[in-house]
């Protein structure tokens, strides 16, 4: 029996790569066999699902499915969203995800660790969730981006998150 907070939750994953969706489904359903996992591979199908259903967690690819447009729909509906990316892995995309009220920004390299990240998304409020994510991934981002990646975007991640929380 699963003791994950995701068990029994309704999850929508959107990615134009079916193999990524298969990995997500396998990771989530192995850890949370009572979760309801739905998937879409394009913007049109995903936007219809977002408008017609209620989800506890939404995982959105950024590239290939108009992920930021889907994020807008999901946030407007009050869903908690994790952005998932490989090709849009950049400080600018991270900052934009925060500004548009995503609750997490995850590199596809971390697909094998998706369940703990999604559990945090449900356990923590907006600011605490981002703080926890950066505790786990700040070193990863610094390694992938440049050492002064925050300075180049004009603010620290804490300032982005605080600004995003104030606008809520």
């Amino acid at each position: 029996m699963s003791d994950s907070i995701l068990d029994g939750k309704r999850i929508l994953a959107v990615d134009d790569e079916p193999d990524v969706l298969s990995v997500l489904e396998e990771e989530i359903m192995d850890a949370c066999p009572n979760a309801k996992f739905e998937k879409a591979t394009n913007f049109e199908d995903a936007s219809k699902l977002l408008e017609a259903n209620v989800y506890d967690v939404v995982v959105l690819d950024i590239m290939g499915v108009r992920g930021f447009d889907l994020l807008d729909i999901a946030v407007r509906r009050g869903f908690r969203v994790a952005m998932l990316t490989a090709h849009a892995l950049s400080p600018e995309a991270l900052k934009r995800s925060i500004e548009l009220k995503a609750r997490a920004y995850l590199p596809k390299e971390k697909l094998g660790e998706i369940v703990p990240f999604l559990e945090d998304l449900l356990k923590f409020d907006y600011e605490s969730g981002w703080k926890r994510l950066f505790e786990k991934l700040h070193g990863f981002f610094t390694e992938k981006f440049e050492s002064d990646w925050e300075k180049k975007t004009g603010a620290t991640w804490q300032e982005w998150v605080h600004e995003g929380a104030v606008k809520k």
Side-chain angles (χ1 to χ4, degrees), residues 50-66:
L50 287 170
E51 294 290 356
N53 299 299
V54 174
Y55 294 99
D56 299 294
V57 174
V58 177
V59 181
L60 298 173
D61 182 24
I62 293 176
M63 304 293 283
V65 294
R66 296 175 42 200

Side-chain angles (χ1 to χ4, degrees), residues 10-11 35 39-40 63 65 70 74 109 117 147 152 161 163:
R10 191 171 186 181
I11 300 164
K39 53 193 170 187
M63 304 293 283
V65 294
L70 292 172
E109 292 176 48
F117 284 112
S147 61
K152 288 184 175 180
V161 171
E163 187 68 27

Side-chain angles (χ1 to χ4, degrees), residues 119-131:
E119 289 172 338
D120 285 352
L121 192 132
L122 290 175
K123 288 179 188 171
F124 297 97
D125 66 22
Y126 182 81
E127 283 192 82
S128 299
W130 277 108
K131 180 180 179 197

